[in-house]
Amino acid sequence: MAEEIATVAVELQPHADEATELRGRASSAVLDTVAVALAAAREPSRSIAAEWARTSYRAGGGGASVWGDGDVLAPAGAAFVNGVAAHALDYDDVNLAVGGHPSALLVPALVAAGEAADADGTALLDAYMVGIHVSASVAAGLDLAAHYAKGWHATTTIGSIGAAAAVARLTGLTVEETCDAVCTAASIAAGSRENFGSMVKPLHVGVAAANVILACELAGAGFEARETALDGPLGFLVLHAADAPVQAAAASTALRKGLRTFATLNSVKKYPCCYQTHRALDAAVDLRRKFGTRVAAARRVVVTVDPGSDNSLIHADPTEPAQGRFSMQYTVAAALHDGRVGFDTFTEQALQRQEVRDLMARVAVEHEPIPPVGAEAFPEHYAVVHVECEDGQWLAGRADVARGDPEAPLAPRELMDKVSDCLRLADPAPDAEAVAAAVARLVAGEPVRALTGALGAARLR
């Protein structure tokens, strides 16, 4: 299987009639990732990671840039810091075929490797699509739900294999070298969901991005791995399948599909919190818009979702902002109270508001295979928010597809609004249109260094 992945990584190309469109989609993912990473400039996880990396990843030969502060580190160091930043706010995109957040790992690793190798933007965007493709194909080879339920952070377990394939392609490794890189990355991939709601969750991504660079650099220098590291009896698929059947044939079938199959499935987040809250938040925000403060004074709130669709939401009574991002109770209460969810929802002050905490205590979460209101059928997941008002009237809102999903994508202006909001958190705030233009020029083949040069202009004081 590893050799098949390596061959795909090196040789697969987008179809000529869709290359421009797919590269445009990939560039939007780069823009979204860069923006959410810059927004995390003041996050403790990013600050600590950056300070540590300055002494641990000093640049030797070819270096790569840490976005926003002008530091140049070894490529693995830049990928590490930018990876932590990209995932620190949990505002980065999601791809359900991958089972996690592909861009937070792919973009920092590819930009660091591409800058050091003086790669062009087109090559980076094509490698990004290959990374999505390989990750989704590996995910097809095991029971993704069982893998996740067992406690694995699929963003960095499965995602590390796709990212290694992507970086190997971008840096010009041969099929044999790419096979070694992929097998090395698979053997050191890790991440436990027990740490969701802590600084360690984004650390998973930063470490994975650095390890991907490490695996590819070692493979390029002749470091060898066993080619059975993925599908052997003690390999990645068996180890991570959580006792469910391994389906290597399904992975091979997925690998043979075109790049469009998985590269069009990214969901761009509308809210800076776990994606599993987003359908309920859409319903709650709509209720607040329609009925005003009546819903904020609810006697009781019942959120109903399909079983398994909220298994990342492990903090029913969050005590710190990072936990609040993984709390259905808190995010829904904040949405009903404020009519919105934004960066300021996840501050210590916002979390401790007594009126919100009182409302949060009245939010219950239930699980039903069939939605309690509306049609019985739903595409993949659903969320229903029931609110009992003070006068005893029940109001209901339902969302099956989150805003930002491929079936309900954010409009270009909405994405730019998100980018602008993110960049306002940098100091000084870089010009959002200038950053977007620099990313867009990747499609035309402008060097990756031109993008990192533009990001370096957003220096943090």
Side-chain angles (χ1 to χ4, degrees), residues 382-402:
Y382 78 85
V384 172
V385 178
H386 272 110
V387 175
E388 183 184 12
C389 300
E390 287 184 309
D391 60 5
Q393 182 183 8
W394 282 90
L395 305 173
R398 172 175 167 175
D400 292 358
V401 177

Side-chain angles (χ1 to χ4, degrees), residues 303-330:
V303 181
T304 309
V305 298
D306 51 299
S309 66
D310 64 341
N311 56 3
S312 292
L313 306 180
I314 60 176
H315 295 289
D317 184 19
T319 57
E320 55 188 63
Q323 294 178 2
R325 298 179 193 278
F326 295 87
S327 173
M328 182 74 85
Q329 290 83 352
Y330 172 66

Side-chain angles (χ1 to χ4, degrees), residues 66-82:
V66 176
W67 303 337
D69 64 8
D71 282 351
V72 176
L73 304 177
F80 168 73
V81 178
N82 296 333

